[in-house]
Amino acid sequence: QVQLVESGGGSVQAGGSLRLSCAASGSIFNIIHMGWYRQAPGKERELVAIITSGGSTNYADSVKGRFTISRDNAKNTVYLQMSSLKPADSTLYYCHADQFPCDYWGQGTQVTVSS
């Protein structure tokens, strides 16, 4: 079992920045990749960014150039630095860990961007 605890959400004005953190604990060996997803009410959960165990990253087109995912292996923590935030970025953000054949989700953290 892997436990994921997110933090760092909040409210910010458009153009501002926030950093989300996701601390992993438990049986964290062999995690293939970790990432951030977001889900607006009534919509499907969508990928925001992922980072592999080797450090490769991938981003949704909508956040490229504005968001940066990183990881601190010593702290078993993944970060999502969000800059130039837009109202359209407002929603719940979820941390995810892929430990095939299992995957794990955090409880979600709210990001609200006001215009």
Side-chain angles (χ1 to χ4, degrees):
Q1 289 281 338
V2 173
Q3 293 79 44
L4 302 173
V5 179
E6 300 129 334
S7 61
S11 298
V12 66
Q13 289 192 329
S17 300
L18 285 173
R19 188 178 80 158
L20 306 183
S21 300
C22 174
S25 61
S27 301
I28 60 174
F29 57 91
N30 291 336
I31 289 178
I32 300 170
H33 62 253
M34 294 184 67
W36 291 93
Y37 289 72
R38 63 189 183 186
Q39 186 171 21
K43 295 188 176 182
E44 293 187 356
R45 194 168 293 188
E46 64 174 1
L47 172 70
V48 176
I50 60 172
I51 184 166
T52 69
S53 56
S56 298
T57 59
N58 194 26
Y59 297 90
D61 287 342
S62 60
V63 306
K64 282 180 181 177
R66 301 189 298 123
F67 292 8
T68 302
I69 190 170
S70 61
R71 63 193 298 164
D72 183 334
N73 291 329
K75 296 182 178 180
N76 299 320
T77 299
V78 173
Y79 304 97
L80 184 68
Q81 179 66 48
M82 305 185 294
S83 302
S84 301
L85 282 161
K86 306 174 182 179
D89 296 317
S90 298
T91 191
L92 275 168
Y93 285 71
Y94 296 91
C95 180
H96 173 257
D98 181 348
Q99 193 182 53
F100 184 82
C102 301
D103 61 347
Y104 301 93
W105 295 93
Q107 79 282 0
T109 186
Q110 178 70 39
V111 171
T112 302
V113 184
S114 57
S115 57

